[in-house]
Amino acid sequence: MNRFVRLSAVLALAACLSPALGGERVSIAAPVKLRFDPRFTFEAVAQRMNVTLRREVPLPAVFLESSTPLAQFQDAMERQWQFRPPLVANAYSIERNEIYLSDDASFYLRLKRSIDDSLAHEFVHYIQAMYFNEDLSTDGCEVQAVEIQRWFREAHMRESRETVAQAEATGPASADDAPKCVLVPGDAGTRAVRCATGSRPISG
């Protein structure tokens, strides 16, 4: 996204979430959780983009707003956006190969979106940068990310909403159904989710 458009979006969020500006880390009463294994989302996005994933390409770390110091996000995005954002927002840092996501449930409720399709959006930017060496400041990159985010939401989130109650009641069918990701402790109490691509078939 053009950095001036990004700045406007971040400042608009800051106006709605002004308490976040006063501290190093945002306190979120009820953080929203991913419904899908990040690996599934990543592979679905890659398939949609007709990209063959390569093991030698490093995977991004994923950080959530509720457990990420604001200064870490600002340091990660300042050079790319050419300003220090006032709060943690959904973004991909090219220099650090890191994805940042808001996990504030009220944010997604207002926009009628989900943290899962936002992760899909940032995975698009990761692939654009790491596989195609694209300039993420161009409008074309943002348009593609928005299009694939919308596709993911329509293709997967609607079905997920219909079955989430049953899934929560029954739990994983087996150990093989558990997420193939690990939680890696970072500095200052932060956490990063790292996922292996493996060779699991992509569904959908």
Side-chain angles (χ1 to χ4, degrees), residues 69-141:
L70 175 59
Q72 175 185 332
F73 178 68
Q74 292 173 327
D75 291 343
M77 301 307 303
E78 182 175 14
R79 183 179 301 182
Q80 185 171 322
W81 286 358
Q82 298 184 20
F83 71 95
R84 288 180 71 80
L87 77 167
V88 177
N90 297 337
Y92 170 67
S93 170
I94 302 172
E95 183 177 18
R96 296 192 178 189
N97 192 26
E98 294 173 346
I99 287 174
Y100 290 87
L101 291 174
S102 171
D103 54 351
D104 181 352
S106 64
F107 168 75
Y108 295 103
L109 184 62
R110 287 195 304 272
L111 297 181
K112 297 182 179 180
R113 296 177 184 171
S114 75
I115 190 172
D116 291 88
D117 65 64
S118 292
L119 178 59
H121 181 111
E122 301 309 330
F123 274 140
V124 173
H125 288 319
Y126 160 79
I127 291 174
Q128 289 168 338
M130 299 297 287
Y131 283 80
F132 299 109
N133 196 30
E134 299 252 12
D135 178 2
L136 299 189
S137 67
T138 64
D139 291 339
C141 284

Side-chain angles (χ1 to χ4, degrees), residues 33-70:
K33 296 182 179 180
L34 291 164
R35 292 183 179 178
F36 292 102
D37 178 347
R39 171 181 166 179
F40 167 80
T41 304
F42 178 47
E43 292 182 340
V45 167
Q47 184 186 54
R48 186 71 176 179
M49 297 176 72
N50 295 314
V51 168
T52 300
L53 298 175
R54 304 194 304 270
R55 292 182 181 273
E56 67 271 18
V57 179
L59 293 166
V62 179
F63 294 94
L64 302 177
E65 178 185 10
S66 61
S67 57
T68 301
L70 175 59

